[in-house]
Amino acid sequence: MILSLLISNKIEIQHLDLFYGAKQALKSVSLSIPEKSVVALIGPSGCGKSTLLRSINRMHDLDPKVRLDGEILLDGHNILHGNTNLNKLRRRVGMVFQKPNPFPKSIYDNVAYGLEVNGIHDKTRIRAAVEESIRESYLWDEVKNDLDKPALDLSGGQQQRLCIARAIAVEPEVILMDEPCSALDPISTAKIEALILRLKERFTIVIVTHNMQQAQRVADFTAFMYLGELIEFGRTSAIFEQPNQELTRNYVSGHFG
Amino acid sequence: MKISATRADKLATVVFQFSAWLSVVVLAGIFTLLLYNGFKAFDRIRPQEFFLGYTWNPSGYSAPHYGVLSLLGSTLLVTCGAMVIAIPLGIGTAAYLSESAPPRVYQILKPVIELFAGIPSVALGFIGITILSPVLAHVFGLSNGLIALNGAILLALMALPTIITVSEDAIRAVPKTFREASFAVGATRETTLWRVTLPAAMSGIITAVMLGFGRALGETMTVLMATGNALAFPGGFFEPVRTMTAAIAIELGETAQHTTHYYALFAVGALLFAISLLVNILSETIARRFRYSQS
Ligand SMILES: Nc1ncnc2c1ncn2[C@@H]1O[C@H](COP(=O)(O)OP(=O)(O)OP(=O)(O)O)[C@@H](O)[C@H]1O
Ligand SMILES: [Mg+2]
């Protein structure tokens, strides 16, 4: 592809097959994700978006019935290789989940957790990083006086921004987001979208979304998936305005899914 | 005629309400009976002798002694000893079962543990006398293995199935998303267990420990058989002891009704009841404080 000549790719997925037991959920998916860009994964429910996303930080390792074939290169190294250090990988590839899932701990401890488990124990350094991450997530002004309060007392939108703060606190290179706004109201969604646009200056972001407008607002590139296959991938404007595939055209124009 | 759904619902509500209240009434009745008879003991025994006396010797030749401290001390020694063994072992096993046991191992261990809960306490006492106490005597070079430690180990075995089963349920109830969030920032399995899963399950684990403690506290037959029944203030885990439950079980049948001794045993029973009530309330309060954060 021409793209890969012009822009360095952070992630290259090559011929990825994934099986849940006997059921194949990804069929030879190949996809290149340029550094410091936002890539949206779209497609009808059950097409394998979350499955693909969770392959990139090897979340599937928790599920013994999942089998993966193919390659996922992160900076040129295959992370599906058996001797990959999963803890280091997940520090480099952070994740934000569909439903906000802060720990039942204080706001401060939620963000500090990632630093502590990665071996940082210097209190002043942690404090500085916690504050910076919460600021970066556009949450600081709302919580700065309540850092010791339970995170679960926050609103859904605030919780999701806290989860983003938790993810960026460990300074990952890639952030995976699985429908991060699907449980949120429009105002919270707008805040998170603004946040994503700013975060892409520092991180490579892959976001799953069912919201076509959202994909167009935040994503530089869009991948359309259908029944476990990657149907089409390209610049977001191209995917939405002149798709090459009939299926893509039908989906983005709202004819099915 | 068919009973309509709402009719049946109402009936069920009434029945369950009735049984709920019945259990409250029975409980209150037992406590009142114990208290009523127990208080009569203090017509003849000075309270400070009962509560602060170290000697329990109702059939002493010169003068009978009714100091509850040796019985109380024995009970606390054996029960707390059992908890020291059973709590880490029980929570550890529960964590292993729910987090890392391969399905095949789980399918063997789980029913075995549940079966364990069904062993009659008299059988455990038997094992204590014939197997465990000679082993203990040998290992620690004692003349007699019927000691507090023997009882503590057996009570730990009795409390374990409860602690394991209830803790395992609590750990399994922790939402998967908490664990995933922890792994997603690079935490290891162990860190995730210690810092996320177990704290999130804490209110259930406390309940598990409390149930196990209650089981051990009220257990009679095993300690009666396995701990030597010595009427002295316990000198440690290597001494024989007589717990409150054992004292009641052994002595009440041989005591004439309406004697001082008879009422004193009721007072011991009331005290035991009060202790388990206190433990209940305490752990319920603690468990609730942990629960605030779960939604
Ligand atoms: N843990 C699992 N075990 C077995 N099958 C699974 C599992 N998770 C997902 N699947 C199946 O794999 C396919 C892809 O699921 P996936 O969750 O990736 O879809 P999705 O595109 O994210 O859908 P949605 O938009 O509804 O979130 C589906 O057919 C689903 O039923
Ligand atoms: Mg999904």
Side-chain angles (χ1 to χ4, degrees):
Chain A
M1 261 202 281
I2 294 171
L3 281 173
S4 56
L5 296 176
L6 301 176
I7 309 165
S8 72
N9 287 324
K10 185 71 187 172
I11 301 167
E12 292 205 38
I13 299 170
Q14 290 169 355
H15 304 292
L16 186 69
D17 292 317
L18 186 145
F19 299 84
Y20 289 109
K23 182 185 179 341
Q24 186 163 11
L26 294 178
K27 294 171 190 160
S28 193
V29 171
S30 295
L31 178 66
S32 297
I33 296 172
E35 181 149 27
K36 302 208 168 121
S37 62
V38 178
V39 172
L41 302 181
I42 61 169
S45 189
C47 69
K49 305 179 295 295
S50 301
T51 302
L52 178 60
L53 196 75
R54 293 162 66 86
S55 304
I56 302 173
N57 65 347
R58 288 194 46 185
M59 253 330 168
H60 294 301
D61 279 50
L62 300 173
D63 185 345
K65 68 176 186 298
V66 172
R67 210 181 78 235
L68 279 156
D69 284 316
E71 289 191 336
I72 299 178
L73 305 179
L74 177 65
D75 289 338
H77 296 284
N78 183 11
I79 60 156
L80 296 187
H81 200 282
N83 61 14
T84 303
N85 180 325
L86 291 186
N87 308 112
K88 283 196 184 129
L89 168 68
R90 290 175 186 149
R91 185 181 175 171
R92 292 176 65 197
V93 182
M95 187 166 226
V96 176
F97 298 79
Q98 177 166 3
K99 201 169 155 270
N101 60 348
F103 300 123
K105 300 173 183 288
S106 71
I107 292 170
Y108 183 91
D109 287 343
N110 260 278
V111 183
Y113 179 80
L115 298 158
E116 288 163 10
V117 302
N118 281 293
I120 298 166
H121 298 294
D122 178 357
K123 290 264 187 286
T124 29
R125 192 170 151 204
I126 292 178
R127 182 156 278 282
V130 168
E131 175 172 342
E132 195 198 312
S133 311
I134 298 179
R135 277 189 194 282
E136 290 256 5
S137 309
Y138 295 148
L139 187 61
W140 182 251
D141 291 332
E142 292 158 63
V143 302
K144 64 184 174 206
N145 298 319
D146 300 322
L147 294 177
D148 293 332
K149 298 258 171 69
L152 291 170
D153 288 355
L154 296 173
S155 75
Q158 291 173 322
Q159 286 187 14
Q160 195 62 303
R161 277 178 281 150
L162 182 67
C163 290
I164 292 174
R166 178 175 67 189
I168 63 179
V170 297
E171 297 179 0
E173 297 154 36
V174 178
I175 303 177
L176 310 173
M177 298 183 169
D178 195 348
E179 302 185 46
C181 304
S182 67
L184 306 182
D185 63 278
I187 293 173
S188 300
T189 299
K191 283 185 185 160
I192 300 227
E193 287 179 7
L195 178 54
I196 290 170
L197 288 176
R198 201 175 67 169
L199 292 177
K200 84 168 184 185
E201 290 165 17
R202 288 174 49 205
F203 308 101
T204 304
I205 297 174
V206 186
I207 179 172
V208 172
T209 180
H210 275 288
N211 181 330
M212 296 301 116
Q213 285 74 38
Q214 180 168 69
Q216 294 180 69
R217 284 191 296 260
V218 302
D220 303 301
F221 301 92
T222 296
F224 170 64
M225 297 179 68
Y226 187 66
L227 297 179
E229 290 184 70
L230 182 78
I231 303 298
E232 193 168 355
F233 176 66
R235 290 216 168 265
T236 301
S237 53
I239 294 290
F240 281 93
E241 284 148 31
Q242 317 91 32
N244 293 323
Q245 304 289 323
E246 187 66 29
L247 267 173
T248 316
R249 190 184 342 271
N250 286 341
Y251 183 74
V252 299
S253 60
H255 287 315
F256 74 90
Chain B
M1 201 183 81
K2 243 180 85 191
I3 304 174
S4 70
T6 48
R7 265 303 248 314
D9 267 2
K10 263 185 198 150
L11 190 71
T13 311
V14 169
V15 168
F16 291 132
Q17 244 170 21
F18 177 76
S19 58
W21 281 110
L22 187 68
S23 63
V24 172
V25 169
V26 169
L27 204 68
I30 292 172
F31 197 37
T32 315
L33 181 81
L34 286 174
L35 275 184
Y36 176 76
N37 283 309
F39 264 115
K40 286 192 180 164
F42 298 113
D43 294 345
R44 304 159 212 206
I45 314 167
R46 284 178 307 131
Q48 54 267 51
E49 191 202 331
F50 182 79
F51 287 110
L52 303 176
Y54 286 96
T55 317
W56 180 267
N57 190 4
S59 47
Y61 278 119
S62 49
H65 289 286
Y66 295 102
V68 81
L69 283 185
S70 67
L71 302 179
L72 181 64
S74 301
T75 287
L76 292 182
L77 185 71
V78 176
T79 313
C80 294
M83 287 298 109
V84 168
I85 302 168
I87 291 173
L89 212 59
I91 298 175
T93 310
Y96 171 73
L97 285 178
S98 60
E99 300 291 279
S100 41
R104 197 164 295 174
V105 177
Y106 184 84
Q107 276 159 18
I108 298 169
L109 281 184
K110 183 76 179 167
V112 169
I113 290 166
E114 272 161 8
L115 213 66
F116 218 92
I119 298 180
S121 54
V122 73
L124 262 184
F126 199 74
I127 291 167
I129 292 176
T130 56
I131 300 173
L132 189 57
S133 80
V135 169
L136 290 179
H138 183 76
V139 170
F140 296 105
L142 308 165
S143 59
N144 176 5
L146 295 175
I147 50 176
L149 182 62
N150 197 16
I153 294 173
L154 294 171
L155 287 190
L157 289 177
M158 294 197 78
L160 265 174
T162 312
I163 296 182
I164 293 172
T165 311
V166 180
S167 303
E168 192 203 331
D169 289 346
I171 294 172
R172 279 192 193 280
V174 174
K176 203 174 84 200
T177 58
F178 287 168
R179 293 185 184 87
E180 289 187 341
S182 173
F183 289 126
V185 291
T188 60
R189 273 173 172 274
E190 294 79 58
T191 310
T192 301
L193 177 68
W194 282 110
R195 298 211 36 198
V196 175
T197 314
L198 288 183
M202 196 46 83
S203 86
I205 291 175
I206 290 171
T207 306
V209 167
M210 182 207 82
L211 289 172
F213 188 88
R215 179 95 209 263
L217 188 71
E219 173 51 33
T220 310
M221 192 46 77
T222 311
V223 287
L224 188 155
M225 292 169 74
T227 57
N229 283 313
L231 279 176
F233 191 77
F237 281 110
F238 299 111
E239 307 280 327
V241 295
R242 178 179 289 188
T243 63
M244 297 162 82
T245 49
I248 296 171
I250 294 170
E251 296 168 21
L252 193 60
E254 307 169 344
T255 311
Q257 281 193 11
H258 312 302
T259 58
T260 310
H261 189 185
Y262 177 85
Y263 290 123
L265 288 173
F266 270 99
V268 173
L271 184 60
L272 193 63
F273 195 104
I275 293 172
S276 49
L277 212 63
L278 196 77
V279 170
N280 256 289
I281 293 168
L282 215 73
S283 53
E284 186 55 37
T285 322
I286 301 171
R288 193 168 301 152
R289 279 194 47 199
F290 276 101
R291 214 171 298 149
Y292 83 96
S293 46
Q294 319 284 309
S295 60

